[in-house]
Amino acid sequence: MKKLLASVLAGTMALSMVACGGSSASSAPAAASSAPAAASSAAASVAESVPAGGTVGVCIYKFDDAFMTTYRNALTKILEDKGYTVTCVDGNNDQAKQTEQINTFITQGVDALIVNPVMTSAADSIIAAVKDADIPTVLINREPTAEQMAAYDKLVYVGCDARQSGTMQGELILDTETKGDINGDGVVKYIMIQGDPENVDAQYRTEFSVKALEDAGVKVEQLDLQRGDWDRNKGQEIAQTDLAKFGDDIEVVFCNNDDMAIGALQAIQAAGRTVNKDIYLVGVDALDAALNEVSNGNMTGTVLNDAEGQASQAVVCMEELLGGKTYAEGEQSVYVDYVKVTPENVSEFKK
Ligand code: BGC
């Protein structure tokens, strides 16, 4: 921050306007407008003269995650295009390692941090560390609780409301010809392949996908629920075991993300089953591979988890923090909308 202000005074860098509230975040709570009046007007005057540039440390929970790879690439590009010096590090799914990386960034005196926590349970110590060092911080993708975030007012979470994606998965099934009840026995039998249950995205998608069916008056029966940790191979293994065990009883395969759904699809095809004919399959993320399978009819649908939208919103929030904005308790989560992807609209999402 000091470095940034010095640059402003020296007038050596191009000016960059900061857009508050970000148009990409259509369902964002009114965090920008709800900051105390004095703080927000002070923030606005500084924000308008904050140049892009400065150093940003980005911590990703693990590079070997399909969705976070798309996200990380989008985020790095946006930051670099704006003139920031970005260092992006791989936490290797190891919280101790990531904590060390955060401490190193703090020692180096980065201007801002963007952190995708390995464990949301570690958010308390992450937040205490960045607060102590007074570094504006944007958390992404893994949402801590509002209480945890309230400890530091220069901290905001940018992500999505995972309840929405779960509900949309349920709706994708309700939109099918049989509403998921392929064998017409009045009960939709499903298996649930879950992400890492420590992550609220996994908890909510699991809960709300099924709730959408129940709310529509559809009877459901869970044949199995297993954690696939967001991983394609695990998705394949779980689906393979369940298909061998439950056979034609499985009418719906819910996967908390697309990578696991792509794995499940391999098992479904190997078992001689045909998606949309004798089994339904849904994921979340709208990875390129999943968009192809939705087009080909090998996935019933998916839900866009807007990596670009979240990355650009994270940068908007980071710049607001750099401009002096603070976030009040209970207003520290900024959400980007999910979008349902079906065979009818899938072409709109292909790049
Ligand atoms: C995505 C998953 C990803 C996870 C990582 C979720 O929002 O849907 O694909 O593995 O985030 O935390």
Side-chain angles (χ1 to χ4, degrees):
M1 192 54 214
K2 272 186 214 118
K3 263 184 253 161
L4 288 173
L5 289 174
S7 307
V8 175
L9 294 174
T12 51
M13 288 175 157
L15 296 188
S16 144
M17 287 286 291
V18 176
C20 291
S23 56
S24 63
S26 47
S27 63
S33 55
S34 52
S40 61
S41 60
S45 60
V46 178
E48 280 168 28
S49 55
V50 169
T55 53
V56 183
V58 178
C59 298
I60 301 295
Y61 94 96
K62 68 169 183 175
F63 279 8
D64 183 21
D65 174 297
F67 172 73
M68 285 315 301
T69 299
T70 310
Y71 194 135
R72 163 167 60 96
N73 292 339
L75 182 62
T76 308
K77 183 168 186 334
I78 296 167
L79 287 167
E80 287 179 348
D81 285 354
K82 281 176 154 278
Y84 292 101
T85 303
V86 186
T87 309
C88 192
V89 292
D90 182 358
N92 290 120
N93 208 18
D94 176 347
Q95 186 57 58
K97 178 167 187 187
Q98 184 179 66
T99 303
E100 244 179 74
Q101 292 169 331
I102 293 170
N103 288 333
T104 303
F105 279 136
I106 290 174
T107 311
Q108 289 167 350
V110 291
D111 295 305
L113 277 166
I114 299 181
V115 180
N116 167 209
V118 175
M119 312 272 294
T120 39
S121 55
D124 288 331
S125 61
I126 295 173
I127 293 169
V130 296
K131 182 182 179 186
D132 193 46
D134 196 30
I135 298 186
T137 300
V138 182
L139 301 179
I140 56 168
N141 177 254
R142 295 186 162 189
E143 186 173 12
T145 64
E147 292 71 38
Q148 287 176 306
M149 291 193 278
Y152 185 34
D153 62 1
K154 291 185 198 168
L155 177 126
V156 63
Y157 171 77
V158 174
C160 302
D161 181 346
R163 288 170 287 205
Q164 192 187 33
S165 51
T167 303
M168 286 178 176
Q169 285 191 297
E171 288 169 0
L172 286 166
I173 298 303
L174 289 170
D175 288 346
T176 62
E177 220 178 290
T178 62
K179 294 193 171 168
D181 186 14
I182 293 177
N183 62 19
D185 69 351
V187 183
V188 173
K189 299 203 180 77
Y190 68 91
I191 62 165
M192 179 69 67
I193 306 184
Q194 199 177 30
D196 177 352
E198 209 257 350
N199 180 333
V200 79
D201 283 10
Q203 295 162 21
Y204 277 154
R205 288 177 194 165
T206 298
E207 180 185 347
F208 282 78
S209 52
V210 174
K211 185 172 181 299
L213 295 185
E214 289 170 332
D215 287 352
V218 171
K219 278 212 186 100
V220 294
E221 184 184 328
Q222 179 178 285
L223 297 173
D224 194 20
L225 180 156
Q226 285 203 48
R227 60 183 286 178
D229 292 324
W230 306 116
D231 180 81
R232 183 176 298 202
N233 292 336
K234 289 189 187 171
Q236 190 272 335
E237 283 159 22
I238 293 166
Q240 187 180 25
T241 310
D242 281 351
L243 284 159
K245 189 163 170 200
F246 302 109
D248 289 347
D249 279 353
I250 304 176
E251 292 165 291
V252 177
V253 179
F254 282 111
C255 296
N256 281 176
N257 77 346
D258 280 347
D259 219 23
M260 297 189 294
I262 297 292
L265 176 60
Q266 289 162 4
I268 287 169
Q269 290 176 328
R273 303 281 295 270
T274 309
V275 172
N276 289 336
K277 203 168 138 238
D278 56 39
I279 195 162
Y280 296 117
L281 172 66
V282 288
V284 175
D285 283 339
L287 294 181
D288 290 346
L291 293 175
N292 283 334
E293 298 303 357
V294 173
S295 298
N296 299 339
N298 294 326
M299 273 179 70
T300 308
T302 185
V303 177
L304 172 71
N305 189 5
D306 186 356
E308 278 88 13
Q310 290 169 72
S312 64
Q313 184 60 39
V315 175
V316 167
C317 287
M318 182 198 82
E319 293 193 319
E320 287 178 340
L321 289 168
L322 285 169
K325 179 172 166 153
T326 53
Y327 282 82
E329 176 167 358
E331 287 164 2
Q332 288 173 283
S333 285
V334 176
Y335 293 135
V336 172
D337 269 334
Y338 285 106
V339 186
K340 236 188 288 182
V341 183
T342 63
E344 289 69 44
N345 71 358
V346 67
S347 59
E348 294 165 31
F349 299 88
K350 286 187 157 184
K351 285 162 208 131

